[in-house]
Amino acid sequence: MKLAKKYAESVKLYDRSKSYELAEATKLVLDTAKAKFDETIELHVRLGVDPRQADQQVRGVLVLPNGTGKTKKVLVIAKGDKADAATAAGADYVGAEETIQRIQSQNWFDFDVMITTPDMMGMVGRIGRILGPKGLMPNPKSGTVTMDVAKAVKEVKAGKVEYRLDKTAIIHVPIGKKSFGVEKLTENFNALMDAVVKAKPAAAKGQYIKSVTLSATMGPGVKVTYNKG
């Protein structure tokens, strides 16, 4: 009930039907983040595309200027020199067949991102039905299937995020923590929105950016005025 009460108090701080300029919207989101932990600030972008059409997909990755505020655990599936490079780059776990077996038989998922070399994808693919639903399946488009595993590990550790459409044509991406403050969150917001605008499919017709909303983990959404798409 306490959380519900705090949520109700947060809603009273602003007009939910109104859109706010970015700086004011960010400040309002921080004001509504009333939980006792350092809440994640999330960006939600509704696009004017049809997610059912292959030529209207919007997906990409970028390293946020100020990171995400969360250090992700990285598992690299690789052998030989690539395994050594992954370890040197700071991967939390490095393995091959035995690690795949561990995931399959022990339901082990103590990692946030899996990176693999192309030659190991056949092996990784065997547990695709387990990894897929959890959003852990490596993919060349997200930079998690690569020969340069060291670079991939460093980017994830630096705050790389992936953005992609869901079935309702909305992109949901964390852009930092409450503790970041307005300036850092604004920088991350602008970097991500620039990337989404540049990723506009040629087949997209009409208004591309339909709506932009910011919210804290436990807080209500605040609409952001955005006129660049």
Side-chain angles (χ1 to χ4, degrees), residues 75-78 80-94 149-150 153:
L75 164 63
V76 176
I77 302 297
D81 293 346
K82 298 301 179 184
D84 295 339
T87 301
D92 298 275
Y93 307 103
V94 180
V149 290
V153 170

Side-chain angles (χ1 to χ4, degrees), residues 1-15:
M1 290 299 291
K2 279 188 176 181
L3 286 176
K5 183 179 178 183
K6 288 179 179 179
Y7 187 94
E9 290 172 354
S10 295
V11 170
K12 293 176 184 177
L13 295 173
Y14 69 103
D15 183 349

Side-chain angles (χ1 to χ4, degrees), residues 19-192:
S19 288
Y20 295 85
E21 293 299 326
L22 178 57
E24 187 177 2
T26 306
K27 185 177 183 305
L28 282 169
V29 167
L30 295 179
D31 289 344
T32 63
K34 296 180 178 295
K36 292 182 179 179
F37 60 92
D38 192 10
E39 292 184 59
T40 296
I41 307 302
E42 297 178 348
L43 173 61
H44 312 275
V45 188
R46 182 183 295 277
L47 300 179
V49 297
D50 185 348
R52 296 169 299 178
Q53 304 301 318
D55 61 354
Q56 294 188 42
Q57 294 302 308
V58 179
R59 180 177 185 172
V61 294
L62 80 155
V63 177
L64 294 173
N66 301 297
T68 63
K70 178 185 177 183
T71 302
K72 292 185 175 181
K73 287 187 179 181
V74 180
L75 164 63
V76 176
I77 302 297
K79 291 183 176 181
D81 293 346
K82 298 301 179 184
D84 295 339
T87 301
D92 298 275
Y93 307 103
V94 180
E97 289 93 344
E98 73 288 352
T99 305
I100 297 292
Q101 182 61 33
R102 184 181 181 190
I103 293 170
Q104 194 166 21
S105 62
Q106 298 179 27
N107 207 32
W108 176 73
F109 290 102
D110 187 28
F111 56 93
D112 302 299
V113 179
M114 180 190 283
I115 296 167
T116 186
T117 49
D119 59 299
M120 300 296 285
M121 267 304 287
M123 184 186 303
V124 172
R126 293 177 204 159
I127 57 169
R129 68 184 185 283
I130 303 173
L131 298 173
K134 295 180 179 292
L136 294 170
M137 187 67 182
N139 188 296
K141 290 182 179 178
S142 63
T144 47
V145 178
T146 175
M147 289 301 288
D148 196 346
V149 290
K151 178 184 177 184
V153 170
K154 289 173 182 175
E155 285 182 346
V156 170
K157 292 292 186 180
K160 185 172 84 169
V161 294
E162 180 180 7
Y163 58 89
R164 60 187 299 182
L165 283 180
D166 68 8
K167 292 178 181 178
T168 60
I170 301 176
I171 289 172
H172 310 272
V173 187
I175 60 167
K177 295 285 187 177
K178 178 183 178 180
S179 58
F180 278 26
V182 173
E183 187 176 341
K184 286 185 176 181
L185 288 170
T186 298
E187 289 176 357
N188 280 358
F189 174 98
N190 286 328
L192 187 60

